Amino acid sequence: MQALTFDTYLSYRDDIAMPALAAGDALIELRLAGICATDLELVKGYAGFSGVLGHEFVGTVVAVADHKHHAWLHRRVVGAINIGCNTCEVCRKYGPEHCLNRKVLGIRGKDGVFADYFSLPVANLHAVPDPVPDQAAVFTEPLAAALRVVKQLAGLAITDIAVVGPGRLGLLIAKVLSLAGYRVTVLGRSAASLALPKQWALTSGLTTEIADNSFHCVVDASGHASGFSQALRIVKPRGTLVLKSTFAANAALDLSKVVVYEINILGSRCGPFADALALLTENTLPVETMIDGQYPLQDGLAAFKHAGQAGVRKILLQPAGLQGT
């Protein structure tokens, strides 16, 4: 089968073996997949991953390992990306997202979705509601990650929030925070990067024009060490800084402000798929306006090059001959 693999360098191959199913697994045929910032960082060496890349997807279940899961056959699905060991204390108490022995689809110890077919435990799957088209369903994973920020901030005395980084994830975070009732400002490095946030009716501005210590809460979704530095600069003393970026970097970071001004730092990662699908069903998020290109798998190298260009948000991949619906 076709796949995009990474092992020192990114390559397209058409000789990859079909995945073998373990107990509890489903075999999924890819419909659409999205290239995200983490994928771009993985090919730079982040996390030391090798194998088939990709974790944002919508697909169709074509086989299951166990007869008891027969009802999943032919269903259109998305899937949570963490596979826990189900035995360690952390996994049992906090879930597979924090399992010390977890595998992560296309990121850690588990081949991903940039392939004709891939496997995932049935327990990770979520059926896509009929009204949600493929080109919206493929945003379920990043939208769930955005909704995680809303859940983490609930109950804190916060009203105004800055989101640094108007890109793939930052835009979703800003919009769901706005829908949750927060006063949100999206901050970018250029006026061009703020065009889509404005189209989404979000207040926006240039990061460099924001004074030091301006916001009680700042979300860093920039994907860059420089973005983290800017986020730290503009958060107020005793404020909250939410870290949403994962990136490969060796730059030294000055964390003295965190200590001196007692900044509260929240790491934020994966979120609730069911909530994301419910929001997509409401059709209140114009996620499809984020799509800047769609490529067949065999053109995956060109797709990655396009995705890595400044200002580009979501690039999609699809098997040859299969159109997203």
Side-chain angles (χ1 to χ4, degrees), residues 198-268:
K198 290 178 179 178
Q199 183 181 327
W200 282 28
L202 292 165
T203 301
S204 61
L206 296 176
T207 312
T208 54
E209 295 181 356
I210 302 299
D212 294 357
N213 309 310
S214 291
F215 290 90
H216 284 294
C217 180
V218 181
V219 179
D220 172 28
S222 66
H224 302 282
S226 60
F228 169 80
S229 297
Q230 290 283 12
L232 183 58
R233 177 183 68 80
I234 66 175
V235 70
K236 289 183 177 183
R238 302 295 299 274
T240 297
L241 180 57
V242 182
L243 302 185
K244 204 66 178 178
S245 296
T246 53
F247 51 83
N250 296 315
L253 298 174
D254 182 2
L255 299 179
S256 58
K257 182 177 179 178
V258 175
V259 178
V260 174
Y261 292 107
E262 296 185 334
I263 306 300
N264 179 34
I265 293 183
L266 287 176
S268 183

Side-chain angles (χ1 to χ4, degrees), residues 156-197:
L156 300 181
I158 292 170
T159 55
D160 290 61
I161 301 176
V163 177
V164 176
R168 304 167 182 85
L169 183 56
L171 189 54
L172 291 173
I173 293 170
K175 190 62 176 179
V176 297
L177 285 170
S178 178
L179 291 173
Y182 295 97
R183 290 193 295 270
V184 180
T185 303
V186 183
L187 300 176
R189 293 184 291 181
S190 67
S193 72
L194 301 175
L196 193 54

Side-chain angles (χ1 to χ4, degrees), residues 21-172:
L21 298 187
D25 276 359
L27 181 67
I28 302 164
E29 182 179 16
L30 180 67
R31 296 175 67 89
L32 280 179
I35 299 174
C36 87
T38 299
D39 299 314
L40 297 174
E41 292 300 314
L42 286 169
V43 300
K44 297 176 185 177
Y46 168 71
F49 177 78
S50 63
V52 179
L53 291 162
H55 58 276
E56 298 179 4
F57 76 91
V58 56
T60 303
V61 176
V62 294
V64 290
D66 306 300
H67 181 73
K68 65 181 179 180
H69 296 138
H70 184 267
W72 282 96
L73 287 174
H74 313 303
R75 299 186 76 176
R76 201 162 50 109
V77 296
V78 292
I81 67 176
N82 297 281
I83 305 166
C85 68
N86 297 315
T87 58
C88 74
E89 180 183 2
V90 174
C91 191
R92 293 198 307 268
K93 187 173 183 179
Y94 299 111
E97 295 83 4
H98 304 294
C99 174
L100 299 177
N101 304 307
R102 73 187 180 277
K103 296 179 180 179
V104 186
L105 184 67
I107 297 175
R108 176 176 171 170
K110 170 69 175 173
D111 279 340
V113 306
F114 295 163
D116 290 324
Y117 298 90
F118 55 94
S119 67
L120 199 61
V122 169
N124 288 52
L125 300 183
H126 295 261
V128 178
D130 290 341
V132 181
D134 286 354
Q135 289 189 319
V138 74
F139 285 91
T140 304
E141 193 277 337
L143 180 56
L147 288 168
R148 175 63 178 158
V149 178
V150 178
K151 287 186 175 292
Q152 288 176 295
L153 296 181
L156 300 181
I158 292 170
T159 55
D160 290 61
I161 301 176
V163 177
V164 176
R168 304 167 182 85
L169 183 56
L171 189 54
L172 291 173

